[in-house]
Amino acid sequence: MRFMMFIYPGIEDEANWNPSAEDVAAMTAYNEKLTQAGVLLALDGLHPSAEGARVTYPGGKAKVTDGPFAEAKELIGGYWLIQAKSKEEAVEWASRCPCTEGAVVEVRRVFEMSDFPADVQEAATLSSTPPQQTASA
Amino acid sequence: MGDASEDRTAGAAAARRAVEAVWRIESARVIAGLARLLRDVGLAEDLAQDALVAALETWPKTGVPDNPGAWLMATGRRRAIDLIRRNRRLEDKQQELARDLAIQLAMGSADLDAALDDDIGDDLLSLIFTCCHPVLSTEARVALTLRMLGGLTTPEIARAYLVPESTVAQRIVRAKRTLAEAHVPFEAPTGADRTDRLGSVLEVVYLIFNEGYSATAGDDWLRPGLCEDALRFGRILAGLTPREPEVHGLVALMEIQASRTAARIGPSGEAVLLLDQDRARWDQMLIRRGLAALERAQDLGGAFGPYALQAAIAACHVRARTAADTDWERLAALYDALAQLAPSPVVQLNRAVAVSMAFGPQAGLDLVDVLESDGTLDGYHLLPSVRGDLLAKLGRLDEARADFERAAALTRNTRERDLLQQRAAECARGAAGH
């Protein structure tokens, strides 16, 4: 099974946020542990919301609102994609994330094709030609 | 009342699952740490299991400690000391250890620094090499690796391998005894035999992967789960031995094979051959990871290792956007290299197919006929099946029909038999039309 772990760092003043060397070292050590355990599939950190945008759909039409966004609790700071045997294992990994009070790590299981009935699987097949590989050597 | 007791039962089950999750993450490190102390992997695993039992009793009441790995290790160590005090045989072993340490000190050996280094990585590597020691049977190596490195229980291993629990339990007990009796040292080999020993480790990991990969039915998650376990072992090993090209080669092979899992089975559970697969269902992330691992293997000078070559073949397929885009000339060359490195009639047959796609059916047929006269693939339905296909392409329909019929008689898969008989009938109709 795959799980996505979203981190909501809960930073009040996003624009003036600067992580300390210790914070970065702790997070790097955590990421290394995930790698060494063979569970990490992918991870990324995100730029502040000031550089992002939100698209809403009032009346079904797209409406763009540029960042920054005020609600610190709702701001995602990054994600990890991990492979784990159970939800409990994923939660255990999330529990080990070096976070301070106010942060939230949300653990969500990734849908797999086999979770869907056959007709949905059929509908999900958009094209028989997958996108070109970016990593092709 | 009933609700309260149900709540308690549900709460206990949840607590148990939480402890098991910690176990899956920590067990290999705990066993490895204890094995360094005791120089006995079997005993280390018994003590680690004792620590797990203690955790299952304690943590549901106290909560999971902040550093559960350290808790398990400390508990295991205490049990080890108790055991040493009680057990004369072990006491001798401890004295032997103390003597060794004194000698090393006197000689100013650098080994001592390594021995005192708290880095668990070396212990973990020693554990992997010990579980996969050639003194053990393949089955024993697989069972020990799943149990000690993967944290799987005996019932889990039994279910994954469709054998009785008692069989697995016996395999593990016997394997531990064999390791003890053969005085297998707890270490990662560094000398001349390292390549062979590493080969044994990689073989075990790939066997576990294939056991999961060949299980087409998904009615029990434990069998496909073996693929995930093997991938995890491979990634752990790659982290511990980053300079070994074949480790990256094996990881690349497994990541790329695993990327095709969803496309390998059709709507009614039938196997779908590689060239017929819906490529949109291939997992692009695993493909990228696989290609990156293959590149590491090649950068380390290991392009022609057996696993790296197989990974390169798999990579050649996944790089093609459609089956028609496949680079068959490159595949033919890769199969040629693999056939020279690890001669096998199945590889030769695959090579013949690639050659026919790259250079025409006659070139492929020539190779298949050599294989046919060897006789090593007698009874293997794919040989006449491939031969029939090549003959049909060459317009030799009577001969093609005979080969398709021969293949249909050999296969045990009914769906495949239908398909082969259908092709035989097509050839018969075509021949009559001429």
Side-chain angles (χ1 to χ4, degrees), chain A residues 13-72:
Chain A
D13 185 6
E14 212 195 6
N16 295 310
W17 176 71
N18 276 309
S20 70
E22 292 88 56
D23 291 347
V24 171
M27 198 53 92
T28 305
Y30 176 66
N31 293 337
E32 260 170 24
K33 271 189 191 134
L34 290 172
T35 308
Q36 285 162 358
V39 297
L40 184 67
L41 296 174
L43 84 171
D44 280 302
L46 305 180
H47 274 288
S49 69
E51 292 171 48
R54 275 180 182 167
V55 184
T56 52
Y57 304 87
K61 289 190 81 171
K63 176 175 172 267
V64 180
T65 312
D66 283 324
F69 307 109
E71 317 84 342

Side-chain angles (χ1 to χ4, degrees), chain A residues 42-106:
Chain A
L43 84 171
D44 280 302
L46 305 180
H47 274 288
S49 69
E51 292 171 48
R54 275 180 182 167
V55 184
T56 52
Y57 304 87
K61 289 190 81 171
K63 176 175 172 267
V64 180
T65 312
D66 283 324
F69 307 109
E71 317 84 342
K73 277 184 192 159
E74 296 176 14
L75 296 179
I76 294 179
Y79 73 88
W80 296 262
L81 184 64
I82 64 164
Q83 180 191 301
K85 274 267 155 119
S86 62
K87 179 185 145 196
E88 287 79 9
E89 190 190 338
V91 168
E92 178 59 30
W93 281 115
S95 308
R96 297 177 180 207
C97 187
C99 288
T100 47
E101 177 151 356
V104 174
V105 175
E106 187 173 314

Side-chain angles (χ1 to χ4, degrees), chain B residues 208-210 212-213 223-232 254 258:
Chain B
I208 292 170
F209 181 85
N210 273 327
Y213 202 61
R223 280 173 73 72
L226 286 174
C227 287
E228 292 193 358
D229 282 321
L231 264 165
R232 214 179 110 210
M254 293 192 296

Side-chain angles (χ1 to χ4, degrees), chain B residues 396-416:
Chain B
R396 292 159 64 177
L397 296 179
D398 270 334
E399 294 163 88
R401 180 191 47 76
D403 266 329
F404 281 131
E405 281 169 358
R406 196 154 57 99
L410 286 171
T411 183
R412 272 176 298 184
N413 184 311
T414 49
R415 214 165 255 285
E416 213 168 348

Side-chain angles (χ1 to χ4, degrees), chain B residues 161-213:
Chain B
Y161 277 82
L162 313 172
V163 292
E165 277 180 37
S166 56
T167 307
V168 176
Q170 226 170 34
R171 259 178 218 167
I172 289 171
V173 168
R174 237 183 268 143
K176 286 177 178 177
R177 200 187 306 141
T178 305
L179 286 175
E181 283 169 5
H183 300 289
V184 168
F186 182 71
E187 64 186 20
T190 50
D193 64 339
R194 185 176 166 97
T195 308
D196 283 349
R197 294 280 308 276
L198 186 64
S200 174
V201 172
L202 297 180
E203 184 194 3
V204 168
V205 173
Y206 195 43
L207 275 174
I208 292 170
F209 181 85
N210 273 327
E211 186 69 29
Y213 202 61

Side-chain angles (χ1 to χ4, degrees), chain A residues 1-2 36-38 40-41 81 83 85 88-89 92-93 96 121 125 127-130 132-133 137, chain B residues 17 21-22 24-26 68 228-229 232 235-236 278 280-281 283-286 288-289 321-322:
Chain A
M1 302 175 202
R2 288 178 187 177
Q36 285 162 358
L40 184 67
L41 296 174
L81 184 64
Q83 180 191 301
K85 274 267 155 119
E88 287 79 9
E89 190 190 338
E92 178 59 30
W93 281 115
R96 297 177 180 207
Q121 290 193 29
T125 306
S127 152
S128 58
T129 50
Q132 195 76 50
Q133 282 304 302
Chain B
R17 284 198 302 273
V22 170
R24 185 170 297 284
I25 296 171
E26 300 291 348
E228 292 193 358
D229 282 321
R232 214 179 110 210
R235 293 176 192 141
I236 291 172
D278 177 356
R281 292 211 172 153
D283 187 320
Q284 296 299 318
M285 187 185 60
L286 290 183
R288 275 195 299 279
R289 292 180 59 92
R321 295 189 67 194
T322 65

Side-chain angles (χ1 to χ4, degrees), chain B residues 267-288:
Chain B
S268 24
E270 78 279 16
V272 182
L273 296 176
L274 197 153
L275 293 179
D276 301 328
Q277 287 171 9
D278 177 356
R279 295 181 181 223
R281 292 211 172 153
W282 290 358
D283 187 320
Q284 296 299 318
M285 187 185 60
L286 290 183
I287 289 175
R288 275 195 299 279

